[in-house]
Amino acid sequence: MAGGSKATQWPVPAVDLGWRNLVVSARVACAAVAALATAYWLELPEPQWAILTVYLLTQSSAGAALAKGSFRFLGTVIAALCALGIVKLVSQDPILLVTSAMAWIFVCYYGATRVTNFASYGFMLAGYTGLLVIFEGAAAPYGAWDVAVNRATEISIGVAFASLANTLIMPVYAGAQLRGVLARAFSDLSRYAADALRPGTPEEGFLRLRSGILAKVVKFDALRSYTTFEAREMRADDAALREAVRECLTVIAVARSLYLRLADFRAANPGMAEGPLAKGLAETITALEAVSRADGSSSGLPARRADLGRARLRLAALRRDVDAMTGDAPLALRADVSLILRRAIRMLRALSALAMVEDAAFPARAAARRRPSIAVRRRRFPTLAREREALLQGTRAALAVLLFCLFWHATEWEQGMAGLTGLALMGYQCVNSDDPGKLGWPYFRAVIAACLCAYVVMAHVYPWLEGFAMLAVFLILVLVPLGLLIGTPRYSKTAGTFTIYFVAAAATTNVYDPNPLDFANFCFGLVFGMFVCLIVARLIPVTSQASRRQAYRRAIGRLLPEAAEGRTPERRLAREIVDLLAAVLPRLKLGHGRDETFLRGMLASASSALELGRLHRAATDPAMPEAGRVALEQGLRHLATMFSHLPTLGAQRETALADGRQALDAMWTELERLAPPAGSPAAHAVLDAASSLRFLTDRLRLDQGFLQLAVAD
């Protein structure tokens, strides 16, 4: 250019052109064309559903493809049968027909909200298929059976070819992916634990690492559900694998509280930088860093557990030395050191338990042992009764169907069926999403682009093709590059949506009879239906806030009081709070406002349940001096009352929290008055109670996440 200036170069992410991505892309394209050929051979009226299904079932592993295909098949068959019954009973009455369609979509979307992963997908597909069969069957009641059978057959062909392609050609198994994700999560957790103990760890980097770990936890739980379809040895250890989610969240909760306490402790005690505690923590940091870099294979797991065990023993020995300190050291200092060491030991113990869970994920080692390496009592996550959210999701979907049917009836629109199809398809983006627009609008744009490209192909390419062989070659030449984009993470969602709708629109019937105007009208109807669905979703927002509020009220208002009163073992209560968090974890936007507050507050609540239980046991310890026992019992009763009333106090919550801080101060003042002999059982009981009080004081004075959750509505 003149003057020696250079044109601005915008960085464009490269497409993955690796041989593996190329093979996977070609595999899916060939499976899609083979499914289309089979649908042509059987002379099915809408063969595009076969090729569409192949791309809908394109997943990262054979287990995921089998899982999604199974639920898609079940949803299709059940929906077709139920829709046939509706057509037979009410097809002659438009009001009853629309009412039945609304009831069907309500039930399906209600169920999709109550379950997770591909079970939710099966419910949504049943809702979509049911709508198509109901309205197409009502238009031609005597052909309703053919509509249902053809639809099920076309879907079955796509499921069969997608499953064969995923399991026979370069299969990638969810079990192998699960082991990889778990190994990486374990390494990241070890590094996260080291950062929590290390002086001067920046909060921004600490939170960024935590967000990455939580994303791996969500992915791990999804992969665990897929292994049911591919690996018998993984099913045998499913109860142990479920523990990985709990142990990961436990490590994160403990590390977070340690990070806050150590920051305050170091600021208040700058002279402790060279003391025994600093030395012990430095040795633990070194051990954790070594564990995070260690071999994540099956053979490296025993060494990891051994390193963690040795680090835990060193901290336990240091804690015994702290317990034996003379009375000259202030109780506050000894309580802080004891709390830090005890929480660090708890963190290492949770990491060791996670390593044992990781051991269960290696089938070679699982086959070599006669019983599971970790004894796990079978139980499931206490799922939140997301009744309100599920009811709202179902009501919103039914209302969208009603509004569209009214518009269809008023305008007598010829493309009403296409619009209903678009509305049902866009409904996928509105279930189990707090912000459907974030997913829906990019989806909407990709569909428009796919329809435009399909129109160009229909009008200007297909007239030059003769016979299925030329059509197959053309589709493969188009689908392989699109598959490369799907295999590139940067473009995968947009390219996947574009490809699905392109093949749905560009695949033709056995008899090629192009009509560009009809095709354009169909595409317009499809896009219009999607637009209506997005508008309804915008006007009637449905989020998981109700589920989070329920989790908060249960954790703060019920489980913490139980811990303070000693009615339930504190470990069981802490695990239940962690499970409540795990139930909504996939819906959280980490690092964003209320979601971040909820996450931090629930993690702090789980740790608080443990410390309240320990404080109650210290109060009932026979070695506790009488004055201390009375003060602790009174304070615990006050805390139990405060926590139980917090969810219902409204504007008085801040006052209640201030009263809770006063109760903690009163217990602390009484413990400081006691002077039990150093090393005696009484001194040990007092120190245990003091360290728990220090933790709870941190939560009610320093922990903004816990405080904001406590005053949340």
Side-chain angles (χ1 to χ4, degrees), residues 200-554:
T201 298
E203 184 176 6
E204 182 180 353
F206 190 66
L207 295 179
R208 190 184 311 114
L209 182 57
R210 185 206 63 190
S211 297
I213 295 169
L214 289 173
K216 291 183 177 69
V217 171
V218 174
K219 183 177 181 180
F220 170 85
D221 191 50
L223 288 169
R224 179 200 54 74
S225 69
Y226 304 157
T227 59
T228 304
F229 291 82
E230 67 177 33
R232 182 174 56 189
E233 68 277 359
M234 301 296 280
R235 290 196 294 271
D237 280 321
D238 184 65
L241 294 175
R242 284 179 178 270
E243 291 296 308
V245 176
R246 296 184 177 97
E247 297 301 344
C248 285
L249 292 177
T250 298
V251 173
I252 290 173
V254 177
R256 178 180 177 276
S257 64
L258 264 174
Y259 178 80
L260 295 175
R261 174 92 302 266
L262 279 167
D264 187 66
F265 178 78
R266 286 170 175 140
N269 300 277
M272 299 296 293
E274 302 298 329
L277 176 62
K279 181 180 178 182
L281 293 180
E283 292 176 347
T284 304
I285 292 170
T286 301
L288 287 169
E289 289 177 339
V291 167
S292 71
R293 295 190 300 267
D295 179 17
S297 66
S298 171
S299 59
L301 289 172
R304 282 180 164 186
R305 291 202 301 270
D307 290 342
L308 291 171
R310 285 191 290 269
R312 192 166 68 247
L313 289 175
R314 286 194 296 268
L315 291 181
L318 182 57
R319 187 180 175 219
R320 288 194 294 270
D321 294 340
V322 171
D323 289 351
M325 289 172 64
T326 63
D328 296 336
L331 179 62
L333 176 62
R334 288 186 290 132
D336 278 342
V337 174
S338 178
L339 174 62
I340 290 168
L341 291 173
R342 178 159 54 78
R343 299 295 289 175
I345 292 170
R346 176 75 181 93
M347 182 172 65
L348 293 175
R349 186 179 295 115
L351 277 171
S352 296
L354 183 59
M356 295 179 71
V357 172
E358 187 180 1
D359 190 26
F362 286 93
R365 295 182 64 84
R369 59 182 184 262
R370 294 189 177 182
R371 57 185 180 182
S373 61
I374 177 171
V376 180
R377 182 168 59 89
R378 289 188 175 272
R379 60 182 176 272
R380 62 185 182 87
F381 285 115
T383 56
L384 293 171
R386 299 193 294 178
E387 196 73 26
R388 179 180 176 184
E389 183 183 354
L391 289 172
L392 286 174
Q393 288 280 15
T395 301
R396 182 173 68 181
L399 180 61
V401 171
L402 174 62
L403 292 176
F404 190 86
C405 287
L406 290 175
F407 172 82
W408 188 3
H409 174 72
T411 61
E412 297 183 355
W413 188 23
E414 293 182 356
Q415 294 297 330
M417 199 63 224
L420 193 65
T421 300
L423 183 143
L425 288 171
M426 182 55 74
Y428 287 177
Q429 309 302 315
C430 301
V431 176
N432 293 327
S433 173
D434 285 355
D435 186 7
K438 184 178 180 180
L439 298 174
W441 290 115
Y443 188 91
F444 183 73
R445 292 192 293 268
V447 171
I448 293 176
C451 289
L452 290 174
C453 291
Y455 178 82
V456 172
V457 168
M458 183 75 68
H460 301 290
V461 176
Y462 281 173
W464 297 91
L465 302 181
E466 296 182 4
F468 180 78
M470 293 185 67
L471 175 64
V473 171
F474 171 77
L475 288 176
I476 289 177
L477 290 175
V478 172
L479 293 177
V480 169
L482 288 174
L484 293 175
L485 290 174
I486 294 174
T488 305
R490 169 80 177 185
Y491 307 112
S492 59
K493 289 185 178 179
T494 301
T497 301
F498 176 90
T499 304
I500 288 167
Y501 283 92
F502 175 79
V503 297
T508 66
T509 59
N510 279 305
V511 179
Y512 177 62
D513 184 20
N515 189 323
L517 182 60
D518 287 347
F519 180 78
N521 288 335
F522 172 82
C523 290
F524 176 78
L526 187 74
V527 171
F528 179 77
M530 291 183 173
F531 179 77
V532 170
C533 183
L534 282 174
I535 294 300
V536 172
R538 180 75 174 177
L539 294 176
I540 309 176
V542 179
T543 70
S544 60
Q545 289 298 330
S547 298
R548 299 178 209 182
R549 189 177 299 114
Q550 181 183 359
Y552 141 70
R553 289 176 176 172
R554 181 170 177 79

Side-chain angles (χ1 to χ4, degrees), residues 54 91 132 175 364 431 446 530 542 647 655 682 696 703:
V54 172
S91 62
L132 292 186
V431 176
M530 291 183 173
V542 179
T655 302
L696 295 169
D703 196 334

